[in-house]
Amino acid sequence: MKLQQLRYLNEVARQDLNITSAADALYTSQPGVSKQIQLFEEEIGLQVFLRNGKRLTGITEPGEQILSLAAKVMHQIDNIKRVGDEFSNIETGTLTIATTHTQARYKLPAVVKAFMTAYPHVKLNIHQGNPSQVAEQVAKGDADVGIATEYISDFENLLCLPCYEWNRCVVVPHGHPLLLDGALTLEKLAAYPLITYDFGYTGGSLVSKTFSEAGVSPNVVLTAIDADVIKTYVTLGLGVGLLANMAYDPERDSNLAMVDVSHLFPNSTTYLGVRKDAFLRGYMYGFIELMAPKFNRKAVNEALKISGTSSL
Amino acid sequence: MKLQQLRYLNEVARQDLNITSAADALYTSQPGVSKQIQLFEEEIGLQVFLRNGKRLTGITEPGEQILSLAAKVMHQIDNIKRVGDEFSNIETGTLTIATTHTQARYKLPAVVKAFMTAYPHVKLNIHQGNPSQVAEQVAKGDADVGIATEYISDFENLLCLPCYEWNRCVVVPHGHPLLLDGALTLEKLAAYPLITYDFGYTGGSLVSKTFSEAGVSPNVVLTAIDADVIKTYVTLGLGVGLLANMAYDPERDSNLAMVDVSHLFPNSTTYLGVRKDAFLRGYMYGFIELMAPKFNRKAVNEALKISGTSSL
DNA sequence: CAACGTTACGCTCTTCGTAAAGATG
DNA sequence: CATCTTTACGAAGAGCGTAACGTTG
């Protein structure tokens, strides 16, 4: 059995059982991939892939398990390489962050700036997606850390660290009747067309839950994943915007008025997630600490130790 | 990076940094191992082993991490092979049990007999050791399951399933004064020379704890890991034997009298341990169920799911 | 000087890429 | 007939074993 074979298997599974595109992705020849997979299946003594004649049509039951194990092996091989990088090229490498739009746009800039100053030789990638995509990317090892609200703890092999709590505000054009009508309630809010986050995005489901538990039906006329989009439509007079506190900037958004509604909704917690079995580079600990100061290197290791089987 | 290199690294570490004996154990040439380790270190960009000139004298700090990861990789490679075996040669293979003498001698025979009838093509190995050796063998993957009392749950990556509870009895030659003196107490027991298990073995530490909590000092004149040895010395009149209930067989041990002392000591629980990240062959589930009937395949998988990161 | 690790070298087996052939839908 | 996989073959390369050399204690 060769590592190459496991790598090939993985990539074929990734590429929807298309050997040709797997070969392309691996920068090698297609017959080579085909051959190694045959050799692997011969050595193991069973088929990983179901075939209809020559086409791959599916994955066998044992194949599923083998692919899952192969993915773990490849991940640990990556970890081994990282150990090398960590100890030789101190503080150079890549940090891939998966996060939602809200975090990327309003919370991360300050953190990223501090990070880039502290680790100028680390290349940064930011992947954007909804919370479950964020979690999935981290779980698969496509991202080193994920930052999102809710959902992220669904995956068994992720360690979730609470970073900070936040709440919501309402934005309206200046002179809007809501501004004149005393303290805001869910009922008053529901009287106006509402523009807010997609459910399934940053704290979206918590909002709908709060409304429904209060027996109030909000009139959501438009949803977006993007606070800037929401503000744009509010500016056009299409409705009242409900978004994260941190997404309102008094200077930049001077054409809108803001009303805090923390008293109407429970706080949402933003979590940072890492794979329990990942080898964390020094600068990754650094990033985590910038994001959630109480989680220094020691605290993260402690959390990893408690949570998982990971016996690094 | 090659799997072979990881295998070599592992074996060298196992053989106390002796490349020559590692090569022997791997049935290959010594220069080959030497070369591959050099190539690996070159590729990774750091040394795994500390050298004094040409001798290996230790493991570097990153080396420790790499070796740990390499061990995991090799274990998962074994798992992959097992998947193959499981689905092709149904119910043939090997089951290695690590356990203490008491279990092997008094509890396992019935289970093993049933197992061999159910899975006649599975080869059985029984490794004997003290409870911490048992746990270590399972943790390292040298044994598939471990059976012992206490201690076994110290390892992070072991799943422990409670099998059954048991308690102790006292054995003495017929006509011994203890038999005439009414209900037994710790004090009365302490008045006679005591022969019992090594502390650190089957429930031994629980016995000493019970005595010390009662403020009683037992007069332990001889300890052994082996109930048969204990009984032999009791027969010779050297003292009173304190051993596991199940170790007294009224027929075979007709030359000794037995007094139950369950009321003096708390029950001990015997656990069965498996690695959380092991791929369990069908017959291994079978063995576990024979040993602890409430843990059928489904229950074991459930326990694995709850306990670990293991996302098979 | 005995035990151990590294270097040197030649052989063999593997792997990889190109080209061609065979299947599938 | 376009797409995809397998087979065939030759060249390049990697791994292994023997033998010789260099070090360590």
Side-chain angles (χ1 to χ4, degrees):
Chain A
M1 194 185 311
K2 302 276 158 56
L3 279 182
Q4 204 94 329
Q5 297 172 337
L6 300 182
R7 185 175 293 120
Y8 288 2
L9 284 174
N10 251 313
E11 194 58 35
V12 170
R14 244 180 100 88
Q15 302 282 344
D16 297 323
L17 309 183
N18 184 323
I19 295 186
T20 304
S21 51
D24 289 348
L26 293 161
Y27 300 103
T28 185
S29 73
Q30 179 272 322
V33 176
S34 189
K35 189 74 179 293
Q36 289 306 319
I37 289 179
Q38 289 173 42
L39 286 174
F40 177 85
E41 290 183 327
E42 191 183 323
E43 180 181 343
I44 288 296
L46 51 81
Q47 291 206 332
V48 173
F49 298 112
L50 293 166
R51 292 168 171 78
N52 192 350
K54 293 193 168 185
R55 302 290 171 98
L56 304 193
T57 56
I59 301 174
T60 63
E61 189 197 334
E64 291 282 2
Q65 302 192 18
I66 287 173
L67 287 170
S68 151
L69 286 164
K72 286 187 191 171
V73 168
M74 293 317 300
H75 182 254
Q76 278 167 350
I77 296 296
D78 286 344
N79 282 348
I80 290 178
K81 288 180 183 159
R82 280 191 183 185
V83 173
D85 294 344
E86 176 68 6
F87 282 82
S88 43
N89 314 334
I90 318 285
E91 293 180 357
T92 79
T94 302
L95 174 66
T96 303
I97 305 166
T99 190
T100 55
H101 173 268
T102 310
Q103 308 300 327
R105 174 79 176 72
Y106 296 103
K107 182 72 187 183
L108 279 184
V111 176
V112 164
K113 189 180 168 192
F115 179 80
M116 287 176 68
T117 310
Y119 306 94
H121 299 293
V122 175
K123 196 171 168 304
L124 263 171
N125 292 325
I126 297 186
H127 291 181
Q128 237 170 273
N130 66 35
S132 55
Q133 289 169 331
V134 165
E136 194 182 320
Q137 286 197 39
V138 179
K140 270 178 150 181
D142 292 340
D144 298 307
V145 302
I147 300 164
T149 303
E150 310 178 54
Y151 281 119
I152 207 174
S153 51
D154 276 6
F155 283 78
E156 270 282 322
N157 62 340
L158 294 190
L159 172 70
C160 288
L161 308 171
C163 286
Y164 63 95
E165 301 202 338
W166 53 273
N167 212 304
R168 289 154 191 80
C169 66
V170 161
V171 293
V172 289
H174 290 294
H176 190 278
L178 260 185
L179 296 171
L180 311 169
D181 197 18
L184 221 55
T185 63
L186 290 177
E187 287 76 12
K188 286 185 193 168
L189 209 51
Y192 296 90
L194 207 60
I195 304 177
T196 188
Y197 298 114
D198 249 352
F199 301 132
Y201 273 75
T202 313
S205 63
L206 196 61
V207 168
S208 64
K209 195 176 151 211
T210 305
F211 272 113
S212 74
E213 281 179 358
V216 179
S217 277
N219 175 24
V220 178
V221 293
L222 184 60
T223 65
I225 59 172
D226 185 326
D228 293 307
V229 171
I230 295 173
K231 287 185 283 192
T232 304
Y233 286 96
V234 171
T235 309
L236 293 176
L238 298 182
V240 170
L242 174 65
L243 36 76
N245 254 325
M246 57 200 162
Y248 178 81
D249 177 339
E251 294 196 14
R252 193 194 305 269
D253 300 325
S254 57
N255 57 328
L256 294 173
M258 186 270 267
V259 183
D260 185 89
V261 291
S262 302
H263 56 295
L264 299 182
F265 301 96
N267 277 354
S268 283
T269 304
T270 293
Y271 291 92
L272 185 152
V274 293
R275 261 183 84 137
K276 287 178 188 170
D277 62 353
F279 172 82
L280 296 177
R281 295 287 310 266
Y283 56 80
M284 296 179 184
Y285 286 104
F287 177 82
I288 293 171
E289 189 166 2
L290 284 171
M291 192 68 200
K294 67 179 165 180
F295 287 108
N296 58 21
R297 187 175 189 130
K298 206 175 145 192
V300 172
N301 283 334
E302 192 61 29
L304 280 170
K305 205 167 177 182
I306 292 167
S307 75
T309 314
S310 168
S311 53
L312 195 77
Chain B
M1 193 184 310
K2 304 275 157 58
L3 278 183
Q4 204 94 331
Q5 297 172 336
L6 300 182
R7 185 176 295 120
Y8 288 3
L9 284 174
N10 251 314
E11 193 59 34
V12 170
R14 244 179 98 89
Q15 303 281 345
D16 297 322
L17 310 183
N18 184 323
I19 295 187
T20 305
S21 52
D24 288 348
L26 293 160
Y27 300 103
T28 186
S29 73
Q30 179 273 323
V33 176
S34 190
K35 190 74 179 292
Q36 289 307 319
I37 289 178
Q38 288 173 42
L39 287 173
F40 177 84
E41 290 183 328
E42 191 183 325
E43 179 180 344
I44 289 296
L46 50 80
Q47 291 206 332
V48 174
F49 299 111
L50 292 166
R51 292 168 172 76
N52 192 351
K54 294 193 168 184
R55 300 292 170 100
L56 303 194
T57 56
I59 301 173
T60 63
E61 190 197 332
E64 291 281 3
Q65 302 191 19
I66 288 173
L67 286 171
S68 150
L69 287 164
K72 285 188 193 170
V73 169
M74 294 317 300
H75 182 253
Q76 279 167 350
I77 297 296
D78 285 345
N79 281 349
I80 290 178
K81 289 180 182 158
R82 280 192 183 184
V83 173
D85 294 344
E86 176 68 7
F87 282 82
S88 44
N89 314 334
I90 316 285
E91 293 180 355
T92 79
T94 302
L95 174 66
T96 302
I97 305 166
T99 190
T100 55
H101 173 268
T102 310
Q103 308 300 327
R105 173 80 174 71
Y106 296 102
K107 182 71 187 184
L108 279 182
V111 176
V112 164
K113 189 180 170 193
F115 180 81
M116 288 177 68
T117 309
Y119 305 94
H121 299 293
V122 175
K123 196 170 165 306
L124 262 172
N125 293 324
I126 296 186
H127 292 182
Q128 238 170 273
N130 67 34
S132 57
Q133 289 169 333
V134 165
E136 193 183 321
Q137 286 198 39
V138 179
K140 271 179 149 180
D142 292 340
D144 299 307
V145 302
I147 300 164
T149 303
E150 308 175 55
Y151 280 118
I152 208 173
S153 51
D154 276 4
F155 283 78
E156 270 281 322
N157 63 339
L158 294 190
L159 173 69
C160 289
L161 308 171
C163 287
Y164 63 94
E165 300 200 338
W166 53 272
N167 212 306
R168 290 156 191 77
C169 65
V170 160
V171 293
V172 288
H174 290 294
H176 190 279
L178 262 184
L179 298 170
L180 311 168
D181 197 20
L184 223 52
T185 64
L186 289 177
E187 288 75 14
K188 286 184 194 170
L189 211 49
Y192 296 91
L194 208 59
I195 304 177
T196 188
Y197 298 114
D198 250 349
F199 300 132
Y201 273 76
T202 313
S205 64
L206 197 60
V207 167
S208 64
K209 196 175 150 213
T210 304
F211 272 112
S212 75
E213 280 180 0
V216 179
S217 279
N219 174 24
V220 178
V221 293
L222 184 61
T223 64
I225 60 172
D226 184 326
D228 294 308
V229 171
I230 294 173
K231 287 186 285 191
T232 303
Y233 285 96
V234 171
T235 310
L236 293 176
L238 298 182
V240 171
L242 174 65
L243 36 76
N245 254 326
M246 56 200 164
Y248 177 82
D249 178 337
E251 294 195 13
R252 192 191 306 267
D253 300 323
S254 56
N255 55 329
L256 294 174
M258 186 272 267
V259 183
D260 187 88
V261 291
S262 303
H263 56 295
L264 299 182
F265 301 95
N267 277 355
S268 283
T269 304
T270 293
Y271 291 92
L272 184 152
V274 294
R275 261 183 86 136
K276 286 177 187 170
D277 61 353
F279 172 82
L280 296 177
R281 296 286 310 265
Y283 56 78
M284 296 179 184
Y285 286 104
F287 176 82
I288 294 171
E289 189 167 0
L290 284 171
M291 191 69 199
K294 67 179 162 178
F295 286 108
N296 58 22
R297 186 174 191 131
K298 207 174 145 191
V300 172
N301 283 333
E302 192 60 28
L304 280 169
K305 207 167 180 181
I306 292 168
S307 75
T309 316
S310 167
S311 55
L312 196 80

